[in-house]
Amino acid sequence: MQTSPIEVQKALKNMDYPAKKQQLIEHAKKHKADSKVMEVLEELPEKEYTNAADVSKAFSGK
């Protein structure tokens, strides 16, 4: 099942950037992101994300 970029961004609300993939995952867990959002974050490339748009770009197409 898919999730929307909006749901991913909601889970990452108030995230401090730049952030590594693991930091994004931890932030989403703390904010009780649903399992679909967590799956998307787990599949992101290992890199440092400079802002929310950077995450959305990596997420698009999933």
Side-chain angles (χ1 to χ4, degrees):
M1 185 175 254
Q2 300 280 25
T3 191
S4 73
I6 293 166
E7 292 302 315
V8 174
Q9 292 306 324
K10 279 185 195 172
L12 297 177
K13 186 178 178 184
N14 299 323
M15 183 73 208
D16 289 328
Y17 292 95
K20 294 189 185 301
K21 174 182 167 178
Q22 193 57 41
Q23 292 170 298
L24 299 176
I25 292 168
E26 288 168 16
H27 184 86
K29 275 183 192 166
K30 272 191 227 164
H31 292 86
K32 311 236 184 307
D34 71 26
S35 61
K36 292 174 282 195
V37 170
M38 294 308 299
E39 270 180 46
V40 166
L41 294 176
E42 295 281 353
E43 291 174 9
L44 289 175
E46 286 288 346
K47 68 174 216 152
E48 188 167 85
Y49 295 88
T50 55
N51 54 35
D54 200 14
V55 174
S56 289
K57 211 165 30 172
F59 161 74
S60 62
K62 296 217 185 287

